[in-house]
Amino acid sequence: QVRLVESGGGLVQPGVSLRLSCAASGRMFSIWDMGWYRQAPGKQRELVAFITSGGNTNYADSVKGRFTISRDNAKSTVYLQMNSLKPEDTAVYYCNAAHQFQNYWGQGTQVTVSS
């Protein structure tokens, strides 16, 4: 069992930066592939960024060059550094942990980008 708790969301103006954190409970965080997903009102949940247990990363085209995913296995935490935020980045951001047939989600954190 893995419990994921996201934090760091908020209301920001376009162009600024925000860092999301996802703290995981449970053992052996390092074996989990971790992802950040987002869901805007009226839209499907989509992958934003992904980092494997080995540290390989992948990004949605819409955030490449602006967002960076990283993990600190010692702190059992995954981060999403979001720079140059745009109004279209507004969504609830969810943390995901996956390993073999197991899959866990956090409760989500709201990010609103508006002037």
Side-chain angles (χ1 to χ4, degrees):
Q1 186 80 13
V2 174
R3 181 168 178 259
L4 304 173
V5 179
E6 301 99 334
S7 61
L11 171 62
V12 296
Q13 292 187 337
V16 304
S17 298
L18 205 58
R19 189 176 81 157
L20 305 182
S21 300
C22 172
S25 65
R27 297 182 179 180
M28 300 179 67
F29 174 78
S30 61
I31 71 171
W32 296 87
D33 295 330
M34 302 298 297
W36 284 99
Y37 292 73
R38 67 187 181 188
Q39 187 167 18
K43 294 187 177 181
Q44 289 189 331
R45 191 173 297 189
E46 63 175 359
L47 175 68
V48 176
F50 187 82
I51 185 166
T52 69
S53 58
N56 294 316
T57 59
N58 191 30
Y59 297 90
D61 288 342
S62 59
V63 306
K64 280 182 181 176
R66 299 189 297 122
F67 290 11
T68 302
I69 189 171
S70 62
R71 64 190 298 160
D72 185 336
N73 289 337
K75 295 183 178 180
S76 297
T77 301
V78 62
Y79 303 97
L80 185 67
Q81 178 66 42
M82 305 185 294
N83 299 330
S84 302
L85 281 162
K86 303 175 180 180
E88 51 263 44
D89 295 318
T90 295
V92 178
Y93 284 71
Y94 296 91
C95 179
N96 175 267
H99 178 66
Q100 295 183 341
F101 299 107
Q102 300 178 77
N103 203 331
Y104 296 97
W105 292 92
Q107 83 288 349
T109 185
Q110 176 71 46
V111 173
T112 302
V113 184
S114 175
S115 55

